Amino acid sequence: MENHHQGAAHSSSGADLLSRIALNDNKAGMEGLDRDKINKIILETSKGSKFYENELKKEQQVNQRIEKMMEQKARTTKEQLKQAQAEVDKLMCELERSRELGRVIVHVDMDAFYAAVEMRDCPELKDKPMAVGSMSMLSTSNYHARRFGVRAAMPGFIAKKLCPNLVIVPTNFDKYRAVSAQVREIFSEYDPHFMPMSLDEAYLDITEHLEQRQHWPETMRTYYICDAKTENNADRSESERDELSPVLFEDSPSSSPSLSGADRKAEVFGMSAEEAVREMRFRIQQKTSLTASAGIAPNMMLAKVCSDKNKPNGQYRIPPERQVVMEFMKDLPVRKVSGVGKVTEKMLAALGIVNCDQLGQQMALLSLLFSVSSWHNFLHISLGLGSTCIERDSERKSMSTERTFGEMNDAEEQYSLCRDLCHDLAQDLQREGLKGKTVTLKLKNVKFEVKTRAFTLQYAVCTEEEIFAAAKDLLKFEIDCVSPQPLKLRLMGVRMSGFISAEDKKPLQRSIMGFLQKGGSDSGSFTQCAGSVLKAEEDSDAAGFLKPQSTEMKEPSVSEQKPKSGGPQQQSFFQRAQLKRLQQQQEQMSIVAATDTTNYSADSAAATQTDLPTTNNQSDTTSAKSLSNTDSGTDATSYMNKPAVLKPSFKISTQVLQFLTCPVCNAEMKDVNLTAFNNHIDECLKGSAVDNEPIHLDAPKEQEELNSKPPASSSESKTRKSSSHNPSCNEEKPSTSISVPLAETDDDSDFKTPFFSHRTKINGKRSVISKKKMSSSEASQTTHKLEAVTEMSSDSKGSSLTCPVCSQPQSTDDLALFNRHVDMCLNQEVLLEFRESHPPVGDSDEPALKNVRGQLGDQGRVSKVREKSKRQGSSLPPSKKIKVLSTKQTIDKFFKSSARQKV
DNA sequence: TCCCTATTCATGA
DNA sequence: TGGAATCATGAATAGGGA
């Protein structure tokens, strides 16, 4: 067959590649070419390139797949085949019964669209081989160029080898979009719900149109060639139009002869499907001076194949009769069917299947060798079945942006690019009003190897800062993985998916409820939360989700409430990677995170995910020790840093130390072990906590070493502790403290699941570390600056405020103070209820308590309750009160659930 | 053990 | 010298929970 023919002319490796990079003459206008000559040129031009090597690799992988498939085929018994055949027959009968021939589906495809537009606008190009694109890549080519083997998706430099006279015109998408809009206007008259596939392609269901058409008088089916009023091309003279249109594809198999007669002024179209489609194409041509091809059939699959049949400037119809459909399919090469690409084609060819008739005959075998969805699809194809319902208004599932560039090795450049991509993506998302939860980073290295890395946040986001907060961590992780070698990239992309539905869009902020959900403590939320808090803290104008929402406070949306299993969903990537590292480095483990000299720390997400120290932590610790001297007393946490704000070049030495914040009393504890910390929280929960003095118990030895190694380090930590008492520090920059809750056992908690509560250096300023039990007003000084800033900027200032929880008027006008007070009130209320329903039972290490402790750690969530209440006035609306009460139920539920887990 | 979900990669338009 | 961008989907895989 084709492959065999190609392979015979070349070396084995070249033959291997032919199905991938050699000429694909599947396209219209590519018939009867000197394929061997063209392939030789393509191979010679490609050979030795990184691209070629990668294609070779991929081809070998496909070959392995085929080998495995053939082995499986060899193992197939007659009995299995018999059984499979029975199943196939059964399904076939069902499909036959449900075969629908009643719809009239049309697939319209503009001929060589971009090239045709350029030729129309620059008539000198008409007789020349030309393509649209660049030396790097061509989007499409005209039919002159196709004679040389120049096709879409071919690099311009290779096309030039094939056709030295090729004229390459740069793309002008604005122009194509404008033309496309004109064409779509016409489509909509035949099917208002037509489905555009791209700028130059669409499916229409003209069934209803045809019904109406039967009652139309001839005048409604008459179009005048020169009637500028009817057709929107008044700007062109008649002679121009006559000259332009037919010449583009003069050798078209079915160029409408009726149109070329110079004396013909009016065209009357009939009532049949063919006539309606001919009319549509006529109108397209009149309006745009471009030609289109069309396929008419009872379903989409057939219509698509048909539109290619008489390309260019032609149409083909399969009538709605089973027998005709089957006859049409019989000799149709499988590759012509949409969805069958080069790999599937090759795999089927290995089984001796080239056309759809053979496909049908081998269904039993295919059902044993391919997945269910694959062989079901094959069965549909072999029966000439396809979708009869044009899917309308299908929801977008992802949005992405990516860029290819010359080799890029510099990390700072890469971060900068990453940010640019996030910026673009954020703009696109906001344009469509979308917010998504999963950020995927796509990387292609200089060897053309593609990697994707994803991270799912707890909340849907859409701002540059928020997206970048996740993307940069993913990028850092990849950079660190190859360190000290540079990451050599040629493409980077950022994708957003996991869009929330329209309903879910309203509550952008999750309440404390969400954090109290079992399993809802996934660290993604903390990354997210931290990133957002910090981002907004610095950028008060940012329209992040922490900005006051005008929507009503309500329960978390279904999607957001849905408990993440806390497993691979949130952790798989980082955890898996981290665990691998962990195995190599267990002996070096300590709870303490280390120093990050770049402030771009994948550790952030990594630590958030698993709380495992990483290689980077370790190495960074060493590398940054000296730097930390110059930045004494500054705490930072990798996941609370603000990469979204800091430029890659903005290097800061930040030392991350283990600070744990009691979520109940807000006491800061440094260098505590987890058991002690947990005990402390238990005491707090039981109401018997002592004065919130920091607990300072034995830190792991490694940690001590880490802390003491740099001359300044140990003293620094003391400085830091003492500085926490310093009120001036408090004034300097309030900070957010976030505890990452993770279930743990005391035995191995040292490296498995430590609590983390990190402090971040913000703008080089010291974070606040509160040590004493704070009054509400004192405590408020440590609340999120973000909210204060946000509210100040968006709301009134000056008037006295009343706490919506305790209803006490607050003497302060400082929103930060006020916020803090409300935070405390809310926490108190929840905790009191919790205490009431769960009196102390002796075992202070009850897992549920531990989890609750952790769950309560993020005060940012609670703050949103306050934010809203403040905007609405001084008292909580009923819904909010209910909400607070229901928090207790959530805790109960959580408690029970956790207890069950333990069992 | 089975089911569900997230992630990664491949395929195809 | 140089080999795209965007979107959807399926398979394989892995881990958590019931």
Coordinates of all heavy atoms in Angstrom, one line a residue, chain A residues 289-326:
Chain A
S289 N -16.3 37.2 -3.1 CA -15.4 36.8 -4.2 C -14.6 35.6 -3.9 O -13.5 35.4 -4.5 CB -14.5 38.0 -4.6 OG -15.3 39.1 -5.0
L290 N -15.0 34.8 -3.0 CA -14.3 33.6 -2.7 C -15.2 32.4 -2.9 O -16.5 32.5 -2.8 CB -13.9 33.6 -1.2 CG -13.0 34.8 -0.8 CD1 -12.8 34.8 0.7 CD2 -11.7 34.7 -1.5
T291 N -14.6 31.2 -3.1 CA -15.5 30.1 -3.3 C -15.5 29.2 -2.1 O -14.5 29.1 -1.3 CB -15.0 29.3 -4.6 OG1 -13.7 28.8 -4.3 CG2 -15.0 30.1 -5.8
A292 N -16.5 28.4 -2.0 CA -16.7 27.4 -1.0 C -17.1 26.1 -1.5 O -17.7 26.0 -2.6 CB -17.7 27.9 0.0
S293 N -16.7 25.0 -0.8 CA -17.2 23.7 -1.2 C -18.1 23.2 -0.1 O -18.0 23.6 1.0 CB -16.0 22.8 -1.4 OG -15.2 23.2 -2.4
A294 N -19.0 22.3 -0.5 CA -19.9 21.8 0.5 C -20.3 20.4 0.3 O -20.2 19.8 -0.8 CB -21.2 22.7 0.4
G295 N -20.6 19.8 1.4 CA -21.1 18.4 1.4 C -22.5 18.3 2.0 O -22.7 19.0 3.0
I296 N -23.3 17.6 1.4 CA -24.7 17.4 1.9 C -25.0 16.0 2.2 O -24.7 15.1 1.3 CB -25.7 17.9 0.9 CG1 -25.3 19.3 0.3 CG2 -27.1 17.9 1.5 CD1 -26.0 19.6 -1.0
A297 N -25.4 15.7 3.4 CA -25.6 14.3 3.8 C -26.5 14.2 5.0 O -26.9 15.2 5.6 CB -24.2 13.6 4.1
P298 N -26.9 13.0 5.3 CA -27.8 12.8 6.5 C -27.1 13.0 7.8 O -27.8 13.0 8.9 CB -28.3 11.4 6.4 CG -27.9 10.9 5.0 CD -26.7 11.7 4.6
N299 N -25.8 13.0 7.9 CA -25.1 13.3 9.2 C -23.8 14.0 9.0 O -23.3 14.2 7.8 CB -24.9 11.9 9.9 CG -24.0 11.0 9.2 OD1 -22.9 11.3 8.9 ND2 -24.5 9.8 8.9
M300 N -23.2 14.4 10.1 CA -22.1 15.3 10.0 C -20.9 14.6 9.5 O -20.1 15.2 8.7 CB -21.8 15.8 11.4 CG -22.8 16.8 11.9 SD -22.6 17.2 13.7 CE -21.2 18.3 13.6
M301 N -20.7 13.3 9.9 CA -19.5 12.6 9.4 C -19.5 12.5 7.9 O -18.5 12.8 7.2 CB -19.5 11.2 10.0 CG -18.3 10.4 9.7 SD -18.4 9.4 8.2 CE -19.5 8.1 8.7
L302 N -20.6 12.2 7.3 CA -20.7 12.0 5.9 C -20.6 13.4 5.2 O -19.9 13.5 4.2 CB -22.1 11.4 5.5 CG -22.2 9.9 5.9 CD1 -23.6 9.4 5.6 CD2 -21.2 9.0 5.1
A303 N -21.2 14.4 5.8 CA -21.2 15.7 5.2 C -19.8 16.2 5.0 O -19.4 16.8 4.0 CB -22.1 16.7 6.0
K304 N -19.0 16.0 6.1 CA -17.6 16.4 6.1 C -16.8 15.7 4.9 O -16.1 16.4 4.2 CB -17.0 16.1 7.4 CG -15.5 16.2 7.5 CD -15.1 17.6 8.0 CE -13.5 17.6 8.1 NZ -13.0 19.0 8.2
V305 N -17.0 14.4 4.8 CA -16.3 13.7 3.8 C -16.8 14.3 2.4 O -16.0 14.5 1.5 CB -16.6 12.2 3.9 CG1 -16.0 11.5 2.7 CG2 -16.1 11.7 5.2
C306 N -18.1 14.5 2.3 CA -18.6 15.0 1.0 C -18.1 16.3 0.6 O -17.9 16.6 -0.6 CB -20.2 15.1 1.1 SG -21.0 13.5 1.1
S307 N -17.9 17.2 1.6 CA -17.4 18.6 1.2 C -16.0 18.5 0.6 O -15.6 19.4 -0.1 CB -17.4 19.5 2.4 OG -16.4 19.1 3.3
D308 N -15.3 17.4 0.8 CA -14.0 17.3 0.3 C -14.0 16.7 -1.1 O -13.0 16.7 -1.9 CB -13.1 16.4 1.2 CG -11.7 16.5 0.9 OD1 -11.1 17.6 0.8 OD2 -11.1 15.4 0.7
K309 N -15.1 16.1 -1.4 CA -15.2 15.2 -2.6 C -15.0 16.1 -3.9 O -14.3 15.6 -4.8 CB -16.6 14.6 -2.6 CG -16.8 13.5 -3.6 CD -16.4 12.2 -3.1 CE -16.7 11.1 -4.1 NZ -16.0 9.8 -3.8
N310 N -15.7 17.2 -4.0 CA -15.6 18.0 -5.2 C -14.9 19.3 -4.9 O -15.2 20.3 -5.5 CB -17.0 18.2 -5.8 CG -17.5 17.0 -6.6 OD1 -16.6 16.3 -7.2 ND2 -18.7 16.8 -6.6
K311 N -14.0 19.3 -4.1 CA -13.2 20.5 -3.8 C -12.2 20.8 -4.9 O -11.7 19.8 -5.4 CB -12.4 20.3 -2.5 CG -12.5 21.5 -1.5 CD -11.8 21.2 -0.2 CE -12.2 22.1 0.9 NZ -12.3 23.5 0.5
P312 N -11.9 22.0 -5.3 CA -12.6 23.2 -4.8 C -13.8 23.6 -5.5 O -14.0 23.1 -6.6 CB -11.5 24.3 -5.0 CG -10.8 23.8 -6.2 CD -10.9 22.3 -6.2
N313 N -14.5 24.6 -5.0 CA -15.7 25.2 -5.6 C -16.7 24.2 -6.1 O -17.2 24.3 -7.2 CB -15.2 26.1 -6.7 CG -16.3 27.1 -7.1 OD1 -17.3 27.3 -6.4 ND2 -16.2 27.7 -8.3
G314 N -16.9 23.1 -5.3 CA -17.9 22.1 -5.7 C -18.7 21.6 -4.6 O -18.5 22.0 -3.4
Q315 N -19.6 20.8 -4.9 CA -20.4 20.2 -3.8 C -20.8 18.8 -4.1 O -20.7 18.4 -5.3 CB -21.7 21.0 -3.5 CG -22.7 21.1 -4.6 CD -23.8 22.1 -4.3 OE1 -23.6 23.2 -4.0 NE2 -25.0 21.5 -4.3
Y316 N -21.2 18.0 -3.1 CA -21.5 16.6 -3.3 C -22.6 16.3 -2.3 O -22.6 16.7 -1.2 CB -20.3 15.7 -3.1 CG -20.5 14.3 -3.5 CD1 -20.3 13.8 -4.8 CD2 -20.9 13.4 -2.5 CE1 -20.5 12.5 -5.1 CE2 -21.1 12.0 -2.8 CZ -20.9 11.6 -4.1 OH -21.1 10.3 -4.4
R317 N -23.5 15.4 -2.7 CA -24.6 15.1 -1.8 C -24.8 13.6 -1.8 O -24.7 12.9 -2.8 CB -25.9 15.7 -2.3 CG -27.1 15.2 -1.5 CD -28.4 15.9 -1.9 NE -29.5 15.4 -1.2 CZ -30.5 14.7 -1.8 NH1 -30.5 14.5 -3.1 NH2 -31.5 14.3 -1.1
I318 N -24.9 13.1 -0.6 CA -25.3 11.7 -0.4 C -26.8 11.7 0.0 O -27.2 12.3 1.0 CB -24.5 11.0 0.7 CG1 -23.0 11.0 0.4 CG2 -25.0 9.6 0.9 CD1 -22.2 10.4 1.5
P319 N -27.6 11.1 -0.8 CA -29.1 11.1 -0.5 C -29.3 10.3 0.7 O -28.6 9.4 1.1 CB -29.7 10.5 -1.8 CG -28.6 9.8 -2.4 CD -27.3 10.4 -2.1
P320 N -30.5 10.5 1.4 CA -30.8 9.8 2.6 C -31.3 8.4 2.4 O -32.4 8.1 2.8 CB -31.8 10.7 3.3 CG -32.5 11.4 2.1 CD -31.5 11.5 1.0
E321 N -30.5 7.6 1.8 CA -30.8 6.2 1.6 C -29.7 5.3 2.1 O -28.6 5.5 1.7 CB -31.1 5.9 0.1 CG -32.3 6.7 -0.5 CD -32.2 6.8 -2.0 OE1 -31.7 5.8 -2.6 OE2 -32.6 7.8 -2.5
R322 N -30.1 4.4 2.9 CA -29.1 3.5 3.5 C -28.1 2.9 2.5 O -26.9 2.8 2.6 CB -29.7 2.4 4.3 CG -28.7 1.5 5.1 CD -29.3 0.4 5.8 NE -28.2 -0.4 6.4 CZ -27.5 -1.3 5.7 NH1 -27.8 -1.6 4.4 NH2 -26.5 -2.0 6.3
Q323 N -28.7 2.4 1.4 CA -28.0 1.6 0.4 C -26.9 2.6 -0.2 O -25.8 2.1 -0.4 CB -29.0 1.1 -0.7 CG -28.5 -0.1 -1.4 CD -27.8 -1.2 -0.4 OE1 -28.4 -1.5 0.6 NE2 -26.7 -1.6 -0.9
V324 N -27.3 3.8 -0.5 CA -26.4 4.7 -1.1 C -25.3 5.1 -0.2 O -24.1 5.2 -0.5 CB -27.2 6.0 -1.6 CG1 -26.2 6.9 -2.3 CG2 -28.3 5.6 -2.5
V325 N -25.7 5.2 1.1 CA -24.6 5.5 2.1 C -23.6 4.4 2.2 O -22.4 4.7 2.1 CB -25.3 5.8 3.5 CG1 -24.3 5.8 4.6 CG2 -26.2 7.0 3.5
M326 N -24.1 3.2 2.2 CA -23.2 2.1 2.3 C -22.3 2.0 1.1 O -21.1 1.6 1.2 CB -24.0 0.8 2.6 CG -24.8 0.7 3.9 SD -23.8 1.1 5.3 CE -22.8 -0.4 5.5

